[in-house]
Amino acid sequence: FFLSGLCYSSWASRIPTIKTALNINEAELGSLLFIMPISSLVGLPISGWLVSRFDSRWPLFIAFLFHVTALFMIGNATSIPFLMGSMIFFAFFMRIYNIAMNTQSITLQKDYEKKINGSFHGLWSLGGIAGVGFTTLMIALDVSIHLHLLIVALLTLTLSLIFFKDLIRQDKAPTGNTLKMGKPDPQLLVLGFIVMFTAICEGGMFDWSGVYFKEVIGVELFTFGYLIFMICMTMSRFISDFVVHKIGMKPMYKISSVSIAVGMSIAIIFPTFWPALIGFSIVGLGTAAVFPMTFILAGTSKKYSAGIALSVVVTYAQVGILMGPVIIGYLAHAVNLRLSFLFMAMAGLAILPVSRYYFRRFGNSEL
């Protein structure tokens, strides 16, 4: 989880660098970002099939090696076609190892009475902080993106080789490994909409917060907004297990939804450094717990194994990631970047009624 967050934030926090280097406008950047979720969607059924046929540690390890290689390729992209190809591989293999990685965490969660899944996602966010912090240092030292992403690739490759031996073995589920086509499973459908709205917000923050701080707030060291978002999301994820245990999932979804909407609104209404920083902080606190909670609920599916259920729910998340950054890009080009962030505020607020419907129909609020 940590290495995944490190790699992704290293890419995301360098998007403004790539935008400037290749002279890409907002609409073109939105179209480029559209490639990654499409590629990720292609990887979803493959990832579900892999974790149902093999121990999840093998898809996790092999896909991560290719993912790191693609990150290095992004750092060396000198043309849009080369960048597109690198992004396709980056997203495709990221989706495969993400499903395998979350399958491992859900399997381990079942062996614990207390909540631990939020901490895994906290480690992802901590890796994200490390990545954006290291990016900030590289930008301050005027280190090229080529050398920067090479260092990250070599570091994560080395650590993944060291820790592979400690992954869970023999976790292939005996049943529920065949995805049934036709009418969607109602429980996974509703959970899918929850993560879709959250993914719109997270994807938008990952891909556009740096551009927002550079072009709307006017900060030269543009990683500030992304960094504070990641810090607050990480802090919240490490304490979310405790909070969910105390108050339950239903109130936590409500708090998360309102926090995203309020935080985004502050950044939009007051487009100056400190209010935007505070707003992005609140958004980070709001988004933190939604994915860990929803993945746990998906793991309770009586129809599918954890790996297949996760792949179904994450499909909806990919739709959100596909919609969010792209729509923001087109809205920013048509109107302006500041007002385009209203789309994320509305998506965050939509989590509230959908989560209330889930608990009204399926229960599980005390899990």
Side-chain angles (χ1 to χ4, degrees):
F1 275 84
F2 180 87
L3 296 180
S4 173
L6 177 66
C7 288
Y8 189 85
S9 70
S10 296
W11 136 255
S13 56
R14 275 293 194 172
I15 289 174
T17 304
I18 296 170
K19 181 176 182 292
T20 300
L22 298 181
N23 194 28
I24 303 169
N25 64 37
E26 283 83 1
E28 291 169 334
L29 179 57
S31 298
L32 269 174
L33 295 174
F34 187 78
I35 293 170
M36 293 185 68
I38 289 290
S39 179
S40 188
L41 279 171
V42 173
L44 273 168
I46 299 173
S47 61
W49 179 82
L50 287 170
V51 298
S52 69
R53 293 294 184 272
F54 306 98
D55 290 350
S56 60
R57 69 191 192 116
W58 284 108
L60 168 54
F61 178 66
I62 294 171
F64 189 75
L65 298 185
F66 282 105
H67 174 73
V68 168
T69 303
L71 178 65
F72 169 72
M73 291 167 59
I74 288 174
N76 286 273
T78 55
S79 67
I80 290 180
F82 190 90
L83 176 63
M84 288 172 60
S86 302
M87 290 168 64
I88 287 170
F89 282 105
F90 185 77
F92 177 81
F93 289 109
M94 179 173 64
R95 181 50 49 214
I96 291 176
Y97 81 71
N98 257 317
I99 293 297
M101 180 174 71
N102 278 287
T103 299
Q104 290 249 330
S105 71
I106 293 297
T107 301
L108 192 59
Q109 172 68 81
K110 291 177 180 178
D111 292 333
Y112 283 77
E113 183 177 346
K114 67 177 182 178
K115 302 292 187 298
I116 61 170
N117 202 43
S119 296
F120 285 117
H121 289 262
L123 284 168
W124 187 93
S125 300
L126 189 62
I129 292 175
V132 73
F134 187 61
T135 300
T136 303
L137 177 63
M138 294 293 98
I139 293 170
L141 296 176
D142 200 27
V143 174
S144 70
I145 186 175
H146 321 296
L147 180 58
H148 168 209
L149 295 187
L150 172 62
I151 294 169
V152 174
L154 290 175
L155 174 65
T156 52
L157 176 62
T158 302
L159 291 174
S160 65
L161 288 167
I162 292 172
F163 294 120
F164 171 70
K165 66 182 186 332
D166 296 313
L167 294 174
I168 296 173
R169 301 166 185 261
Q170 299 179 340
D171 64 338
K172 184 174 70 170
T175 59
N177 290 320
T178 302
L179 183 61
K180 298 177 177 64
M181 305 305 290
K183 185 178 179 181
D185 178 70
Q187 179 188 8
L188 298 184
L189 177 64
V190 179
L191 292 176
F193 274 107
I194 292 174
V195 296
M196 183 183 74
F197 291 130
T198 309
I200 288 172
C201 301
E202 285 198 21
M205 291 299 291
F206 292 151
D207 293 346
W208 286 102
S209 60
V211 180
Y212 191 90
F213 257 68
K214 183 177 183 180
E215 299 185 3
V216 176
I217 308 302
V219 178
E220 191 64 29
L221 200 57
F222 51 79
T223 53
F224 274 124
Y226 184 59
L227 180 59
I228 195 66
F229 167 75
M230 290 299 297
I231 289 173
C232 290
M233 187 163 67
T234 302
M235 290 169 53
S236 183
R237 278 181 168 167
F238 279 118
I239 65 171
S240 66
D241 289 326
F242 173 79
V243 176
V244 171
H245 180 73
K246 290 293 183 183
I247 69 173
M249 288 188 178
K250 185 177 179 181
M252 194 64 179
Y253 275 113
K254 180 178 180 180
I255 293 169
S256 298
S257 176
V258 173
S259 296
I260 294 169
V262 169
M264 204 67 71
S265 298
I266 292 172
I268 296 166
I269 296 170
F270 306 102
T272 54
F273 183 79
W274 286 109
L277 209 62
I278 292 169
F280 282 11
S281 302
I282 298 172
V283 174
L285 294 172
T287 57
V290 180
F291 271 93
M293 289 192 298
T294 310
F295 286 173
I296 290 175
L297 292 175
T300 66
S301 172
K302 294 179 174 58
K303 186 175 181 180
Y304 295 117
S305 66
I308 294 294
L310 283 172
S311 67
V312 171
V313 170
V314 171
T315 300
Y316 292 89
Q318 286 306 303
V319 172
I321 291 175
L322 179 134
M323 290 171 54
V326 176
I327 292 176
I328 291 168
Y330 286 125
L331 287 174
H333 190 69
V335 188
N336 60 60
L337 184 59
R338 178 186 168 193
L339 291 179
S340 71
F341 271 44
L342 279 170
F343 179 62
M344 287 192 282
M346 293 169 61
L349 198 58
I351 296 169
L352 179 57
V354 179
S355 64
R356 287 172 66 89
Y357 173 78
Y358 176 86
F359 292 116
R360 191 164 58 245
R361 179 168 179 182
F362 302 105
N364 293 329
S365 62
E366 300 308 316
L367 276 175

